Amino acid sequence: MALLEVEDLHTYYGNIHALKGISLTVEEGEIVTLIGTNGAGKTTTLNTISRLLTPRQGTVRLEGQDLSHVPAHRLVTMGIVQVPEGRRVFARLTVEENLRMGAFTIKDKAVIDEGIERGYTMFPRLKERSKQVSGTLSGGEQQMLAMARALMAKPRLLLLDEPSMGLAPTLVEFIFETITSIHAEGVSILLVEQNALQALAVASRGYVLQTGKVLMADTAAALAANEDVRRAYLGEI
Amino acid sequence: MTAVTAPPPTVAPIASARDLWLSVAIRTGLIAGATALYLCLTGIVPTFDSRPLIRDVITLGQVALVVAFMAAGLGTAIRLGTQASPGRTVLGGTVAGLIAGAMLSALVLLGSVVDLRAMFLHASPALWNVLTFEMGTSGFWVPAAVGAVLGGLAAAIWLLPGALRMSLLAGLAMVLVMGLFAGLLRAPMLSGPLSGLARQLFAAEGLQPIGALLSFAAGAILVPLFRPSRIRARAQRLSREQRRVTAVPLGGVLLLLVLLLPLGLGPFVAQVVALIALYVLMGLGLNITLGLAGLLDLGFVAFFAVGAYTVGLLTSTGEYGIAQWSFWAAVPVAVVIAMLFGVVLGLPLLGMRGDYLAIATLGFGEIIRILAGSDLLKPWLGGPRGITNIPKPLDVGPDSFLAGPNQIYYIALACAAVIAFVAWRLRASRLGRAWIAIREDEDVAEALGVNLVQTKILAYMLGAAFAGLGGAIFASLYGSVFPSSIQLLVSINVVAIIIVGGMGSIPGVVVGAIVLIGLPELFREFSEYRFLFYGAVLILMMRFRPEGLIPSRIGRQEMHHDAAEDDPLTATAAVEPS
């Protein structure tokens, strides 16, 4: 049974039909990427899975359990955590407080402190800034914080939305290395990226989305080799 | 002359530097003149011409004009800084003052030809006489001359060496403050052993000339000695250990002052101080909903009303009292009922954010006010006549020190201390973090496992509880509750206190309450004009110090956000991926 199973998802913004029947799966231990142009429905898909948006039709199942009636704030305890687009750290909280927010559902103090230490080991930069209000961090540091915060809840499935957006090239490299090492610790990842080339390089499978539908689904290697994909999304003419 | 050959490139900057002082002077003068016109035509100058600042020397109305003229000169000098020679600076100040004065001269001239009273009630011969020292419209040149002299003088003062300048300005400011508060200081002194001194220093209204001289001297000497930057510099030289050792007795002295404050006050000021303490309490309460959870609750007054009416009904010995309980038994009930209202009113608001929430809560405040005064509830709440005969919490004799507003002061103070403690503990708690997270980004907070419904309802309940407590104390402070005492202004005052004081800052709330509640009450003699002051404070604060008078640590850091981004250490490019 797949870890995440999305079936025929239809999501609307008012009258606008944003997702027109998206289906996808993420197996335990996989990195799966969603690529596509702006407005293809990548972020909407993630937000619908994490229940920030309510689908009008279709189901999301975690290990076979239907999530339709699970409130968004309960998903964390079930193992799904989202790193939203644009980082969205809590600007008025310090770095450490942001991490504690990530462990909001965990009551055990020792586990929380251990999680914070783990985050600092992964991103030493954050340790230096632990008492700093996170609104004053640079974009790269905020992305690190957003990822470390999401890991605090010990997710089984991480939903990553555009983690490399707006970052300097060296940092993009670093973020993708981090994604690989998070994956190596046994976390399954559903990754949304504009940067299709690098996303396909770390992922095992990918879905190409266009105007709210799945255009193609294949292994990452096959997608990266596909002529149409290369022309449309990898910037080759 | 048409420019056939291009002028050398150096000519233009020199020319503009030469004209700089003039353009600055003209701009500053126009602003000061507009302000002076405003002061005249709104009636501030003519009305307060009957209120002396220093007896037989200068009236408040004249002071307003003097301040406007001097501000023109000072403003010019400050904006010019070191960019102009001393002579130019003084000349600039004179021109600025002249322009400001000339605008008033023009007003007098215009008034001598056209009757402006159809539009401006205060544009009357009385105003012309104030402006021209009783010379009527033929003395139209007087304001311009006075303006030029004062503007030049003020600019010259700015050129004085730092210490002297500070002393002079501090002395003048002290005269102004003492003159404004003369009545308040005089009344309690007259009844005590200091009555002789009081008569020497203060006139029936304003200062005696000798009092003015002493005030000037006191300001000129004391303010430079105790100015904040100097004290802060001293404090920074102390070691951490020394600072801790000095903080304890300093805190003790401060606490003692706060506790002993009602001792030296007349009944009127005691009432004002109790009101300030009450608003501190409510400000701290709203600080939790607004400052932490970011829920802009303009229906604060609704819960305030619930608390006030509950205590009124339960304790009143008059017509509408139903139980004649003691205050102490009624307060917990009032707080619990206010909390229930908080939940009931909070539930429909859950999906709303920001401005929408503010408008919706505004509606609740109005509903409660109208219900309280309605015929429908008149048999129980007394309609517009309200509930009277609400006893004071402590049953002490009429001569006791604790009779009247003083006991309310202490009760409000004790409650405020408890709330401050709760607020401080909450800030560092899991719930406090969840509130800030919701305020920052509801979606992300929810995605991290925060139950929005539960967390928001808790914030409403807590805010309502504090508002209810405030209302309960209010009812027993005044001994009565009327629908007219639950105005929207109560909500707005509490919000303004937090914003002016500094969002999320506990000392900020105290200072905000003193400035926005205390000062307007103390300036009662200026009747409706004190709300002009209130409005002016709000506008100036938002323009020049948006983080509040005493901002919290986070507020300060946010204001220095730009500086941090410029710091090369935090810039994106400098981050070393490892």
Side-chain angles (χ1 to χ4, degrees):
Chain A
M1 189 189 307
L3 177 64
L4 181 78
E5 213 173 330
V6 173
E7 207 181 299
D8 193 28
L9 220 50
H10 289 262
T11 303
Y12 288 73
Y13 293 108
N15 285 328
I16 299 163
H17 198 168
L19 296 189
K20 299 166 186 163
I22 299 272
S23 298
L24 57 88
T25 55
V26 179
E27 301 289 336
E28 183 93 53
E30 262 192 322
I31 298 183
V32 175
T33 183
L34 304 181
I35 57 177
T37 51
N38 276 336
K42 307 185 299 283
T43 295
T44 308
T45 305
L46 277 202
N47 285 347
T48 310
I49 293 171
S50 65
R51 302 204 55 78
L52 290 177
L53 294 171
T54 315
R56 201 173 284 184
Q57 192 189 320
T59 51
V60 177
R61 279 189 292 269
L62 186 71
E63 289 194 309
Q65 189 191 344
D66 189 354
L67 300 181
S68 299
H69 299 288
V70 177
H73 66 89
R74 295 268 305 131
L75 284 185
V76 183
T77 45
M78 301 180 71
I80 301 183
V81 177
Q82 185 181 15
V83 180
E85 186 180 0
R87 307 183 269 277
R88 289 162 82 169
V89 297
F90 300 120
R92 289 180 142 250
L93 291 176
T94 64
V95 169
E96 193 188 314
E97 286 171 329
N98 261 282
L99 293 178
R100 287 190 187 279
M101 273 311 298
F104 190 78
T105 52
I106 299 176
K107 297 281 190 319
D108 189 341
K109 272 210 159 62
V111 175
I112 296 174
D113 289 337
E114 189 196 4
I116 291 176
E117 269 322 304
R118 209 153 26 102
Y120 287 161
T121 322
M122 190 175 274
F123 306 105
R125 189 81 189 168
L126 295 181
K127 185 165 192 170
E128 294 167 33
R129 308 213 173 276
S130 65
K131 298 289 177 224
Q132 194 171 320
V133 173
S134 57
T136 62
L137 298 180
S138 72
E141 289 164 344
Q142 289 189 2
Q143 183 62 50
M144 295 179 202
L145 180 55
M147 291 171 77
R149 182 178 65 186
L151 292 177
M152 288 295 295
K154 303 204 167 172
R156 299 173 60 197
L157 174 65
L158 195 60
L159 308 177
L160 278 176
D161 198 349
E162 304 272 7
S164 74
M165 192 172 65
L167 297 185
T170 50
L171 270 167
V172 173
E173 201 71 41
F174 172 62
I175 293 294
F176 276 99
E177 277 167 30
T178 311
I179 291 173
T180 317
S181 62
I182 292 171
H183 176 240
E185 285 178 23
V187 181
S188 312
I189 295 171
L190 181 56
L191 170 67
V192 161
E193 260 294 340
Q194 287 268 332
N195 199 335
L197 190 63
Q198 250 157 328
L200 289 172
V202 295
S204 50
R205 288 190 301 118
Y207 292 83
V208 179
L209 267 53
Q210 196 175 50
T211 56
K213 289 183 187 139
V214 176
L215 193 67
M216 266 182 264
D218 211 331
T219 62
L223 285 176
N226 185 299
E227 283 296 313
D228 294 331
V229 173
R230 295 187 77 86
R231 200 175 310 118
Y233 307 111
L234 302 182
E236 284 184 14
I237 306 162
Chain B
M1 189 183 81
T2 50
V4 179
T5 53
T10 48
V11 168
I14 287 179
S16 73
R18 194 180 296 151
D19 295 339
L20 177 71
W21 69 274
L22 192 60
S23 70
V24 166
I26 290 173
R27 254 180 299 156
T28 318
L30 286 175
I31 294 171
T35 313
L37 277 179
Y38 173 77
L39 292 173
C40 288
L41 293 178
T42 53
I44 292 177
V45 169
T47 308
F48 295 122
D49 196 49
S50 56
R51 158 71 156 88
L53 183 79
I54 306 170
R55 197 169 64 103
D56 299 334
V57 178
I58 193 165
T59 69
L60 267 189
Q62 291 163 336
V63 166
L65 292 176
V66 167
V67 168
F69 292 149
M70 291 190 71
L74 272 181
T76 307
I78 291 170
R79 285 164 101 174
L80 282 176
T82 53
Q83 293 177 67
S85 66
R88 280 274 152 74
T89 303
V90 174
L91 196 59
T94 313
V95 170
L98 178 70
I99 290 170
M103 286 168 78
L104 296 183
S105 295
L107 177 68
V108 176
L109 266 182
L110 185 66
S112 67
V113 190
V114 191
D115 188 0
L116 295 172
R117 263 176 290 186
M119 268 186 292
F120 300 107
L121 196 62
H122 295 283
S124 62
L127 175 62
W128 315 145
N129 279 333
V130 176
L131 293 177
T132 60
F133 294 107
E134 311 299 325
M135 286 166 73
T137 47
S138 62
F140 67 87
W141 50 272
V142 171
V146 172
V149 170
L150 287 172
L153 193 68
I157 288 177
W158 189 253
L159 291 174
L160 292 174
L164 199 57
R165 175 177 79 198
M166 171 136 201
S167 285
L168 214 56
L169 292 177
L172 289 176
M174 186 62 103
V175 173
L176 189 61
V177 170
M178 294 296 280
L180 284 175
F181 287 108
L184 291 172
L185 295 168
R186 181 172 180 259
M189 279 169 81
L190 276 181
S191 56
L194 296 171
S195 64
L197 181 67
R199 269 182 250 281
Q200 287 287 314
L201 295 178
F202 304 118
E205 280 188 311
L207 294 166
Q208 297 280 15
I210 182 87
L213 272 180
L214 283 175
S215 304
F216 180 83
I221 294 166
L222 294 180
V223 172
L225 278 182
F226 291 101
R227 67 169 189 268
S229 61
R230 192 175 166 137
I231 292 172
R232 215 168 320 161
R234 279 263 171 104
Q236 262 156 17
R237 278 204 297 274
L238 296 177
S239 70
R240 183 179 287 245
E241 185 63 24
Q242 281 170 311
R243 230 180 287 179
R244 215 177 44 222
V245 171
T246 47
V248 173
L250 264 181
V253 168
L254 203 67
L255 185 67
L256 206 64
L257 274 180
V258 169
L259 288 179
L260 296 180
L261 184 64
L263 276 178
L265 304 174
F268 169 64
V269 184
Q271 180 113 350
V272 173
V273 170
L275 196 65
I276 293 176
L278 182 63
Y279 269 95
V280 168
L281 181 164
M282 293 196 288
L284 289 173
L286 187 66
N287 218 343
I288 293 178
T289 23
L290 178 60
L292 289 185
L295 304 170
L296 181 49
D297 185 358
L298 288 181
F300 201 74
V301 70
F303 311 118
F304 177 87
V306 169
Y309 269 97
T310 308
V311 162
L313 286 173
L314 290 179
T315 66
S316 169
T317 56
E319 197 180 341
Y320 296 100
I322 52 171
Q324 289 166 28
W325 288 7
S326 82
F327 173 81
W328 306 103
V331 163
V333 178
V335 170
V336 169
I337 292 182
M339 280 166 91
L340 288 179
F341 267 77
V343 176
V344 171
L345 299 191
L347 278 172
L349 299 178
L350 283 171
M352 299 185 196
R353 302 178 187 189
D355 1 11
Y356 305 101
L357 178 73
I359 299 298
T361 53
L362 194 75
F364 282 135
E366 283 301 280
I367 289 172
I368 297 276
R369 182 179 67 81
I370 290 165
L371 274 182
S374 68
D375 286 341
L376 181 71
L377 296 176
K378 197 173 174 187
W380 299 282
L381 301 181
R385 281 164 53 216
I387 297 173
T388 51
N389 292 343
I390 301 171
K392 288 271 184 291
L394 299 174
D395 191 16
V396 290
D399 298 327
S400 162
F401 167 66
L402 282 178
N406 282 349
Q407 54 170 297
I408 301 291
Y409 172 74
Y410 288 115
I411 290 169
L413 212 60
C415 292
V418 171
I419 294 174
F421 180 75
V422 170
W424 175 62
R425 292 299 305 157
L426 270 175
R427 173 64 183 81
S429 73
R430 189 164 165 273
L431 182 59
R433 276 198 300 275
W435 278 336
I436 299 179
I438 286 183
R439 170 215 171 110
E440 295 281 311
D441 197 324
E442 274 190 28
D443 292 342
V444 178
E446 192 174 20
L448 291 176
V450 177
N451 183 340
L452 292 185
V453 174
Q454 204 183 331
T455 315
K456 281 183 160 185
I457 287 287
L458 259 174
Y460 281 120
M461 269 174 68
L462 218 59
F466 294 134
L469 181 62
I473 296 176
F474 175 87
S476 75
L477 171 64
Y478 287 102
S480 52
V481 196
F482 307 105
S484 62
S485 33
I486 45 181
Q487 295 290 347
L488 174 64
L489 192 64
V490 175
S491 293
I492 293 180
N493 271 334
V494 179
V495 174
I497 283 174
I498 294 179
I499 292 170
V500 166
M503 186 99 68
S505 149
I506 292 169
V509 170
V510 178
V511 174
I514 292 172
V515 171
L516 291 182
I517 304 299
L519 292 186
E521 287 292 321
L522 293 180
F523 285 132
R524 262 190 193 279
E525 60 171 316
F526 304 125
S527 60
E528 68 264 38
Y529 289 109
R530 64 209 162 99
F531 292 111
L532 273 179
F533 161 83
Y534 185 98
V537 166
L538 288 188
I539 293 171
L540 291 176
M541 279 294 304
M542 289 307 97
R543 172 66 186 79
F544 292 106
R545 209 177 157 86
E547 75 271 35
L549 287 170
I550 306 184
S552 64
R553 181 179 55 94
I554 291 170
R556 229 186 323 246
Q557 281 201 19
E558 273 182 339
M559 290 299 152
H560 293 290
H561 190 162
D562 298 339
E565 277 198 335
D566 292 339
D567 177 3
L569 279 176
T570 56
T572 314
V575 178
E576 303 248 346
S578 50

